[in-house]
Amino acid sequence: MSATSQVVACTQCGHQVYPARLRCPRCHGAQWTPVAVSQAVLQAWTTQRQDDGTTAHLGIVRVGEDGPHLVVRFDTPPQHAGQTVALQWRQIDGYVLPWGQCLA
Amino acid sequence: MSAAPGIIGVGETPLLRRPGPDCSTAGLLADAIDLALADAGVSAVEVDGLGVGSFTLRPDRAIDFAWRMGLGLRWCMQEEMGGASAINLLRQAWLALAAGQARTIVLVAGDHFVAADFTALVRQYNRSAQEQLTPLGSLGPNPLFAMLTQQQMRQAGLQREDYGRLCVTQRRHAAGYANAAYSQPMCLQDYLDAPMIAPPLGRLDCVPVVSGAAALVLSATPQGPSVHLRGGVAAFNLDRQESNGLSTGLASVADALWAQAGCGPQAMDVLGIYDDYPAMVLAQLQDLGVVPAGGLAAFTAQQYAGQGVPLNTAGGQLSAGQAGVGGGMHLLVEVARQLLGRAGARQLPQARLGLASGYGMVQQRYGMCANAVVLEGRQS
């Protein structure tokens, strides 16, 4: 089951960021509310070898046309930029982090 | 004698891939200072200003290092903004000298790493690295700049060979620099055959981590050959990390740089462009107006052919090595060295104007800091 989205919106101007910051980069508001984000668009991807010898599939996705960019992890490799990515949030080492699954 | 401050000496230690057991950050910084003072013909007793950039000097700070060096100071500054530190230090030192806060300032930057130190540094670089990137499996800057490179390739129509031409050119330059960590010849096929680190980045796209330090000596009233600041700009987090990172903060301040310098990029005789990854060299060159839009592939081909304005003439970080914060100082020192006319076999004929840039402090996806200076060499 997916944990709560860590994308948040400024309660003053609605600007969305990930992760939350002390002040909104657009209006300097200090209050945030979680935003349910289920999809994003793939911008780029790569792989990196991990300490345990496995390979991590990593990507940058963007939420909407004006939303935040997120570095996400994939279980299976993406194929091309522009792919729609389903987002879920997983608890890893005490942090809630974004995981992506490329949709056809 | 000149009424304006000037750089009067430079120095850099050997950049060591495998430093010996007696090597330390403080020792490397001290050696670089000694080399720069000797180059300037200045005694340590004349130094009344010190600027230090280092990640691994801790637990000491700049003032602790000054104590260990036996320096009494009227101006002391510490910098920890990575690839932007060298130019930050230079701009601040310049203001201090012009304001009469000091008469002779030494700027030094460098680090001592063993592999475990570097891994720990990049995985805990800041809160984003600690809490988002490292737990996700995005370890250090390589995967982030791999994805940035992939986007640049798509946007600018570049191939891996284009980046390779830049790397091969810098290796050719490193062959003439005895302090470089890697100076053996390398060809384009070597670049293409190198193991993949984070596609499309291969091993030769990634700077080798080394131990070393580099230093500059500045005087408020230089006598003899000196290098002067014609213009200097900086951009810190201007886009709030909300763009795609393909353009650096230099794009916002380049016009101001050239207006201050009273010349354009075509007047430059030597370039020192921050080269943590080849893609970022190209991004900065475009942002600074050195290369026109659509001209990146042609620029790398020109460099490969040994034509055009020389870039990173001591090998840059890609071949000489990245000694932590010292990487940016390596580039600045080499531009100043060329403009002082002291580059030996690498000396460019009639080099008078040079451009150096800095870039660094990766946040969520790319660097937040960018700066640049235009320097002018004067023979008296």
Side-chain angles (χ1 to χ4, degrees), chain B residues 198-240:
Chain B
L201 296 184
R203 192 173 66 199
L204 296 173
D205 291 295
C206 304
V207 290
V209 176
V210 299
S211 296
L216 295 170
V217 180
L218 298 95
S219 169
T221 52
Q223 302 175 47
S226 56
V227 173
H228 296 255
L229 186 69
R230 289 265 296 248
V233 291
F236 302 107
N237 194 37
L238 286 183
D239 70 355
R240 278 72 164 174

mmCIF file of all heavy atoms in Angstrom, chain B residues 198-240:
data_model
loop_
_atom_site.group_PDB
_atom_site.id
_atom_site.type_symbol
_atom_site.label_atom_id
_atom_site.label_comp_id
_atom_site.label_asym_id
_atom_site.label_seq_id
_atom_site.Cartn_x
_atom_site.Cartn_y
_atom_site.Cartn_z
ATOM 1 N N ALA B 198 26.837 5.417 -15.137
ATOM 2 C CA ALA B 198 25.393 5.684 -15.074
ATOM 3 C C ALA B 198 25.036 6.175 -16.476
ATOM 4 O O ALA B 198 25.294 7.334 -16.790
ATOM 5 C CB ALA B 198 25.063 6.730 -14.005
ATOM 6 N N PRO B 199 24.512 5.317 -17.321
ATOM 7 C CA PRO B 199 24.292 5.692 -18.720
ATOM 8 C C PRO B 199 23.524 7.007 -18.852
ATOM 9 O O PRO B 199 22.562 7.202 -18.107
ATOM 10 C CB PRO B 199 23.466 4.521 -19.273
ATOM 11 C CG PRO B 199 23.720 3.391 -18.324
ATOM 12 C CD PRO B 199 24.006 3.997 -17.003
ATOM 13 N N PRO B 200 23.927 7.906 -19.740
ATOM 14 C CA PRO B 200 24.980 7.760 -20.763
ATOM 15 C C PRO B 200 26.385 8.106 -20.278
ATOM 16 O O PRO B 200 27.285 8.227 -21.107
ATOM 17 C CB PRO B 200 24.523 8.765 -21.828
ATOM 18 C CG PRO B 200 23.900 9.864 -21.029
ATOM 19 C CD PRO B 200 23.203 9.182 -19.893
ATOM 20 N N LEU B 201 26.595 8.262 -18.975
ATOM 21 C CA LEU B 201 27.932 8.605 -18.489
ATOM 22 C C LEU B 201 28.796 7.353 -18.343
ATOM 23 O O LEU B 201 28.417 6.401 -17.653
ATOM 24 C CB LEU B 201 27.865 9.295 -17.124
ATOM 25 C CG LEU B 201 27.169 10.649 -17.036
ATOM 26 C CD1 LEU B 201 27.296 11.219 -15.624
ATOM 27 C CD2 LEU B 201 27.709 11.627 -18.061
ATOM 28 N N GLY B 202 29.950 7.403 -19.006
ATOM 29 C CA GLY B 202 30.955 6.372 -18.805
ATOM 30 C C GLY B 202 31.990 6.865 -17.808
ATOM 31 O O GLY B 202 31.928 8.005 -17.326
ATOM 32 N N ARG B 203 32.960 6.004 -17.526
ATOM 33 C CA ARG B 203 33.940 6.353 -16.500
ATOM 34 C C ARG B 203 34.705 7.625 -16.840
ATOM 35 O O ARG B 203 35.051 8.414 -15.958
ATOM 36 C CB ARG B 203 34.929 5.196 -16.302
ATOM 37 C CG ARG B 203 35.789 5.378 -15.049
ATOM 38 C CD ARG B 203 36.633 4.157 -14.766
ATOM 39 N NE ARG B 203 37.631 3.967 -15.819
ATOM 40 C CZ ARG B 203 38.265 2.830 -16.062
ATOM 41 N NH1 ARG B 203 37.993 1.768 -15.338
ATOM 42 N NH2 ARG B 203 39.148 2.732 -17.033
ATOM 43 N N LEU B 204 34.955 7.874 -18.119
ATOM 44 C CA LEU B 204 35.766 9.036 -18.495
ATOM 45 C C LEU B 204 34.956 10.326 -18.584
ATOM 46 O O LEU B 204 35.503 11.390 -18.880
ATOM 47 C CB LEU B 204 36.520 8.750 -19.800
ATOM 48 C CG LEU B 204 37.538 7.612 -19.656
ATOM 49 C CD1 LEU B 204 38.136 7.234 -21.004
ATOM 50 C CD2 LEU B 204 38.652 7.975 -18.674
ATOM 51 N N ASP B 205 33.646 10.251 -18.315
ATOM 52 C CA ASP B 205 32.835 11.457 -18.142
ATOM 53 C C ASP B 205 32.867 11.939 -16.698
ATOM 54 O O ASP B 205 32.349 13.023 -16.399
ATOM 55 C CB ASP B 205 31.361 11.160 -18.475
ATOM 56 C CG ASP B 205 31.142 10.899 -19.947
ATOM 57 O OD1 ASP B 205 31.354 11.820 -20.744
ATOM 58 O OD2 ASP B 205 30.727 9.770 -20.297
ATOM 59 N N CYS B 206 33.381 11.106 -15.819
ATOM 60 C CA CYS B 206 33.316 11.403 -14.380
ATOM 61 C C CYS B 206 34.708 11.794 -13.891
ATOM 62 O O CYS B 206 35.686 11.094 -14.168
ATOM 63 C CB CYS B 206 32.832 10.175 -13.605
ATOM 64 S SG CYS B 206 31.231 9.573 -14.192
ATOM 65 N N VAL B 207 34.787 12.893 -13.146
ATOM 66 C CA VAL B 207 36.102 13.368 -12.690
ATOM 67 C C VAL B 207 36.740 12.354 -11.740
ATOM 68 O O VAL B 207 36.059 11.795 -10.877
ATOM 69 C CB VAL B 207 35.996 14.724 -11.969
ATOM 70 C CG1 VAL B 207 35.666 15.832 -12.945
ATOM 71 C CG2 VAL B 207 34.968 14.685 -10.851
ATOM 72 N N PRO B 208 38.043 12.103 -11.912
ATOM 73 C CA PRO B 208 38.722 11.257 -10.928
ATOM 74 C C PRO B 208 38.902 12.019 -9.616
ATOM 75 O O PRO B 208 39.326 13.176 -9.619
ATOM 76 C CB PRO B 208 40.071 10.954 -11.589
ATOM 77 C CG PRO B 208 40.273 12.024 -12.601
ATOM 78 C CD PRO B 208 38.924 12.525 -13.017
ATOM 79 N N VAL B 209 38.582 11.356 -8.532
ATOM 80 C CA VAL B 209 38.751 11.967 -7.213
ATOM 81 C C VAL B 209 40.229 11.893 -6.841
ATOM 82 O O VAL B 209 40.832 10.814 -6.899
ATOM 83 C CB VAL B 209 37.903 11.230 -6.161
ATOM 84 C CG1 VAL B 209 38.149 11.803 -4.772
ATOM 85 C CG2 VAL B 209 36.434 11.311 -6.533
ATOM 86 N N VAL B 210 40.802 13.024 -6.485
ATOM 87 C CA VAL B 210 42.226 13.069 -6.132
ATOM 88 C C VAL B 210 42.399 13.866 -4.846
ATOM 89 O O VAL B 210 41.463 14.506 -4.354
ATOM 90 C CB VAL B 210 43.068 13.720 -7.262
ATOM 91 C CG1 VAL B 210 42.962 12.917 -8.547
ATOM 92 C CG2 VAL B 210 42.658 15.177 -7.498
ATOM 93 N N SER B 211 43.606 13.827 -4.327
ATOM 94 C CA SER B 211 43.986 14.680 -3.194
ATOM 95 C C SER B 211 44.965 15.723 -3.693
ATOM 96 O O SER B 211 45.918 15.389 -4.405
ATOM 97 C CB SER B 211 44.634 13.845 -2.087
ATOM 98 O OG SER B 211 43.703 12.929 -1.554
ATOM 99 N N GLY B 212 44.735 16.979 -3.321
ATOM 100 C CA GLY B 212 45.623 18.042 -3.765
ATOM 101 C C GLY B 212 45.093 19.393 -3.349
ATOM 102 O O GLY B 212 44.038 19.495 -2.704
ATOM 103 N N ALA B 213 45.827 20.438 -3.702
ATOM 104 C CA ALA B 213 45.412 21.798 -3.353
ATOM 105 C C ALA B 213 46.047 22.776 -4.324
ATOM 106 O O ALA B 213 47.099 22.492 -4.919
ATOM 107 C CB ALA B 213 45.820 22.133 -1.918
ATOM 108 N N ALA B 214 45.386 23.932 -4.469
ATOM 109 C CA ALA B 214 45.885 24.986 -5.355
ATOM 110 C C ALA B 214 45.702 26.327 -4.651
ATOM 111 O O ALA B 214 44.803 26.481 -3.818
ATOM 112 C CB ALA B 214 45.139 24.969 -6.680
ATOM 113 N N ALA B 215 46.568 27.288 -4.987
ATOM 114 C CA ALA B 215 46.547 28.577 -4.275
ATOM 115 C C ALA B 215 46.888 29.735 -5.203
ATOM 116 O O ALA B 215 47.558 29.564 -6.221
ATOM 117 C CB ALA B 215 47.545 28.537 -3.111
ATOM 118 N N LEU B 216 46.395 30.903 -4.800
ATOM 119 C CA LEU B 216 46.678 32.171 -5.479
ATOM 120 C C LEU B 216 47.217 33.160 -4.449
ATOM 121 O O LEU B 216 46.768 33.157 -3.304
ATOM 122 C CB LEU B 216 45.391 32.796 -6.031
ATOM 123 C CG LEU B 216 44.587 32.122 -7.124
ATOM 124 C CD1 LEU B 216 43.261 32.848 -7.284
ATOM 125 C CD2 LEU B 216 45.365 32.158 -8.436
ATOM 126 N N VAL B 217 48.117 34.032 -4.858
ATOM 127 C CA VAL B 217 48.543 35.151 -4.020
ATOM 128 C C VAL B 217 48.096 36.441 -4.688
ATOM 129 O O VAL B 217 48.326 36.634 -5.893
ATOM 130 C CB VAL B 217 50.073 35.181 -3.836
ATOM 131 C CG1 VAL B 217 50.483 36.366 -2.957
ATOM 132 C CG2 VAL B 217 50.566 33.879 -3.227
ATOM 133 N N LEU B 218 47.443 37.307 -3.910
ATOM 134 C CA LEU B 218 46.974 38.589 -4.422
ATOM 135 C C LEU B 218 47.612 39.717 -3.637
ATOM 136 O O LEU B 218 47.799 39.610 -2.419
ATOM 137 C CB LEU B 218 45.454 38.709 -4.289
ATOM 138 C CG LEU B 218 44.605 37.715 -5.055
ATOM 139 C CD1 LEU B 218 44.233 36.535 -4.180
ATOM 140 C CD2 LEU B 218 43.341 38.400 -5.565
ATOM 141 N N SER B 219 47.905 40.794 -4.354
ATOM 142 C CA SER B 219 48.478 41.975 -3.710
ATOM 143 C C SER B 219 47.581 43.179 -3.964
ATOM 144 O O SER B 219 47.017 43.325 -5.048
ATOM 145 C CB SER B 219 49.875 42.237 -4.278
ATOM 146 O OG SER B 219 50.340 43.507 -3.848
ATOM 147 N N ALA B 220 47.506 44.061 -2.960
ATOM 148 C CA ALA B 220 46.734 45.300 -3.140
ATOM 149 C C ALA B 220 47.431 46.228 -4.122
ATOM 150 O O ALA B 220 46.773 47.002 -4.824
ATOM 151 C CB ALA B 220 46.548 45.991 -1.795
ATOM 152 N N THR B 221 48.740 46.129 -4.183
ATOM 153 C CA THR B 221 49.515 47.016 -5.070
ATOM 154 C C THR B 221 50.593 46.193 -5.774
ATOM 155 O O THR B 221 51.770 46.242 -5.382
ATOM 156 C CB THR B 221 50.164 48.154 -4.256
ATOM 157 O OG1 THR B 221 50.886 47.568 -3.170
ATOM 158 C CG2 THR B 221 49.117 49.122 -3.740
ATOM 159 N N PRO B 222 50.199 45.418 -6.757
ATOM 160 C CA PRO B 222 51.178 44.524 -7.388
ATOM 161 C C PRO B 222 52.272 45.289 -8.131
ATOM 162 O O PRO B 222 52.027 46.341 -8.702
ATOM 163 C CB PRO B 222 50.321 43.715 -8.362
ATOM 164 C CG PRO B 222 49.088 44.528 -8.581
ATOM 165 C CD PRO B 222 48.860 45.306 -7.344
ATOM 166 N N GLN B 223 53.467 44.704 -8.065
ATOM 167 C CA GLN B 223 54.577 45.216 -8.862
ATOM 168 C C GLN B 223 54.987 44.104 -9.797
ATOM 169 O O GLN B 223 55.066 42.961 -9.389
ATOM 170 C CB GLN B 223 55.735 45.599 -7.954
ATOM 171 C CG GLN B 223 55.347 46.651 -6.919
ATOM 172 C CD GLN B 223 56.480 46.928 -5.951
ATOM 173 O OE1 GLN B 223 57.624 47.120 -6.363
ATOM 174 N NE2 GLN B 223 56.168 46.959 -4.675
ATOM 175 N N GLY B 224 55.243 44.410 -11.052
ATOM 176 C CA GLY B 224 55.592 43.378 -12.021
ATOM 177 C C GLY B 224 54.344 42.736 -12.583
ATOM 178 O O GLY B 224 53.227 43.259 -12.450
ATOM 179 N N PRO B 225 54.480 41.562 -13.211
ATOM 180 C CA PRO B 225 53.333 40.914 -13.861
ATOM 181 C C PRO B 225 52.225 40.605 -12.858
ATOM 182 O O PRO B 225 52.497 40.170 -11.738
ATOM 183 C CB PRO B 225 53.936 39.618 -14.421
ATOM 184 C CG PRO B 225 55.399 39.893 -14.542
ATOM 185 C CD PRO B 225 55.737 40.831 -13.432
ATOM 186 N N SER B 226 50.989 40.834 -13.271
ATOM 187 C CA SER B 226 49.852 40.576 -12.392
ATOM 188 C C SER B 226 48.609 40.347 -13.244
ATOM 189 O O SER B 226 48.590 40.664 -14.437
ATOM 190 C CB SER B 226 49.632 41.743 -11.422
ATOM 191 O OG SER B 226 49.466 42.947 -12.137
ATOM 192 N N VAL B 227 47.604 39.786 -12.588
ATOM 193 C CA VAL B 227 46.338 39.469 -13.266
ATOM 194 C C VAL B 227 45.217 40.212 -12.565
ATOM 195 O O VAL B 227 45.102 40.147 -11.338
ATOM 196 C CB VAL B 227 46.073 37.949 -13.248
ATOM 197 C CG1 VAL B 227 44.696 37.627 -13.802
ATOM 198 C CG2 VAL B 227 47.143 37.223 -14.052
ATOM 199 N N HIS B 228 44.411 40.903 -13.355
ATOM 200 C CA HIS B 228 43.392 41.797 -12.788
ATOM 201 C C HIS B 228 41.979 41.332 -13.113
ATOM 202 O O HIS B 228 41.744 40.697 -14.137
ATOM 203 C CB HIS B 228 43.624 43.214 -13.302
ATOM 204 C CG HIS B 228 44.928 43.768 -12.835
ATOM 205 N ND1 HIS B 228 45.030 44.700 -11.842
ATOM 206 C CD2 HIS B 228 46.202 43.453 -13.199
ATOM 207 C CE1 HIS B 228 46.306 44.947 -11.611
ATOM 208 N NE2 HIS B 228 47.038 44.209 -12.421
ATOM 209 N N LEU B 229 41.078 41.680 -12.215
ATOM 210 C CA LEU B 229 39.678 41.296 -12.360
ATOM 211 C C LEU B 229 38.965 42.343 -13.210
ATOM 212 O O LEU B 229 38.780 43.477 -12.773
ATOM 213 C CB LEU B 229 39.039 41.207 -10.969
ATOM 214 C CG LEU B 229 37.620 40.674 -10.884
ATOM 215 C CD1 LEU B 229 37.567 39.196 -11.225
ATOM 216 C CD2 LEU B 229 37.050 40.891 -9.478
ATOM 217 N N ARG B 230 38.539 41.919 -14.394
ATOM 218 C CA ARG B 230 37.788 42.851 -15.256
ATOM 219 C C ARG B 230 36.295 42.786 -14.960
ATOM 220 O O ARG B 230 35.557 43.738 -15.186
ATOM 221 C CB ARG B 230 38.030 42.494 -16.735
ATOM 222 C CG ARG B 230 39.415 42.821 -17.233
ATOM 223 C CD ARG B 230 39.477 44.176 -17.903
ATOM 224 N NE ARG B 230 38.683 44.270 -19.102
ATOM 225 C CZ ARG B 230 39.174 44.407 -20.339
ATOM 226 N NH1 ARG B 230 40.470 44.433 -20.529
ATOM 227 N NH2 ARG B 230 38.372 44.520 -21.381
ATOM 228 N N GLY B 231 35.831 41.619 -14.519
ATOM 229 C CA GLY B 231 34.413 41.463 -14.212
ATOM 230 C C GLY B 231 34.183 40.196 -13.429
ATOM 231 O O GLY B 231 34.962 39.236 -13.536
ATOM 232 N N GLY B 232 33.154 40.196 -12.609
ATOM 233 C CA GLY B 232 32.838 38.991 -11.832
ATOM 234 C C GLY B 232 31.359 38.954 -11.483
ATOM 235 O O GLY B 232 30.793 39.977 -11.090
ATOM 236 N N VAL B 233 30.744 37.789 -11.637
ATOM 237 C CA VAL B 233 29.304 37.641 -11.365
ATOM 238 C C VAL B 233 29.056 36.310 -10.664
ATOM 239 O O VAL B 233 29.875 35.392 -10.727
ATOM 240 C CB VAL B 233 28.472 37.672 -12.674
ATOM 241 C CG1 VAL B 233 28.489 39.067 -13.299
ATOM 242 C CG2 VAL B 233 28.977 36.634 -13.669
ATOM 243 N N ALA B 234 27.913 36.226 -10.021
ATOM 244 C CA ALA B 234 27.529 34.971 -9.365
ATOM 245 C C ALA B 234 26.010 34.854 -9.347
ATOM 246 O O ALA B 234 25.299 35.871 -9.346
ATOM 247 C CB ALA B 234 28.075 34.936 -7.940
ATOM 248 N N ALA B 235 25.542 33.618 -9.325
ATOM 249 C CA ALA B 235 24.100 33.336 -9.248
ATOM 250 C C ALA B 235 23.913 32.176 -8.282
ATOM 251 O O ALA B 235 24.537 31.120 -8.440
ATOM 252 C CB ALA B 235 23.564 32.967 -10.629
ATOM 253 N N PHE B 236 23.079 32.386 -7.279
ATOM 254 C CA PHE B 236 22.856 31.363 -6.257
ATOM 255 C C PHE B 236 21.361 31.037 -6.184
ATOM 256 O O PHE B 236 20.558 31.885 -5.794
ATOM 257 C CB PHE B 236 23.338 31.864 -4.892
ATOM 258 C CG PHE B 236 24.789 32.264 -4.860
ATOM 259 C CD1 PHE B 236 25.153 33.596 -4.803
ATOM 260 C CD2 PHE B 236 25.791 31.312 -4.914
ATOM 261 C CE1 PHE B 236 26.485 33.981 -4.779
ATOM 262 C CE2 PHE B 236 27.128 31.686 -4.896
ATOM 263 C CZ PHE B 236 27.480 33.012 -4.829
ATOM 264 N N ASN B 237 21.008 29.838 -6.580
ATOM 265 C CA ASN B 237 19.634 29.345 -6.438
ATOM 266 C C ASN B 237 18.609 30.280 -7.100
ATOM 267 O O ASN B 237 17.488 30.411 -6.615
ATOM 268 C CB ASN B 237 19.298 29.170 -4.941
ATOM 269 C CG ASN B 237 18.033 28.363 -4.719
ATOM 270 O OD1 ASN B 237 17.752 27.406 -5.441
ATOM 271 N ND2 ASN B 237 17.238 28.747 -3.729
ATOM 272 N N LEU B 238 18.990 30.895 -8.201
ATOM 273 C CA LEU B 238 18.073 31.852 -8.832
ATOM 274 C C LEU B 238 16.796 31.171 -9.315
ATOM 275 O O LEU B 238 15.738 31.789 -9.321
ATOM 276 C CB LEU B 238 18.761 32.557 -10.005
ATOM 277 C CG LEU B 238 19.809 33.614 -9.643
ATOM 278 C CD1 LEU B 238 20.344 34.274 -10.904
ATOM 279 C CD2 LEU B 238 19.216 34.673 -8.711
ATOM 280 N N ASP B 239 16.896 29.916 -9.736
ATOM 281 C CA ASP B 239 15.698 29.243 -10.274
ATOM 282 C C ASP B 239 14.996 28.377 -9.225
ATOM 283 O O ASP B 239 14.028 27.680 -9.539
ATOM 284 C CB ASP B 239 16.044 28.400 -11.503
ATOM 285 C CG ASP B 239 16.862 27.163 -11.146
ATOM 286 O OD1 ASP B 239 17.244 27.001 -9.972
ATOM 287 O OD2 ASP B 239 17.114 26.345 -12.053
ATOM 288 N N ARG B 240 15.481 28.447 -7.976
ATOM 289 C CA ARG B 240 14.879 27.688 -6.856
ATOM 290 C C ARG B 240 14.848 26.188 -7.123
ATOM 291 O O ARG B 240 14.000 25.474 -6.607
ATOM 292 C CB ARG B 240 13.481 28.181 -6.541
ATOM 293 C CG ARG B 240 13.410 29.423 -5.671
ATOM 294 C CD ARG B 240 13.837 30.653 -6.406
ATOM 295 N NE ARG B 240 13.428 31.880 -5.719
ATOM 296 C CZ ARG B 240 13.783 33.097 -6.105
ATOM 297 N NH1 ARG B 240 14.574 33.258 -7.169
ATOM 298 N NH2 ARG B 240 13.378 34.147 -5.459
#
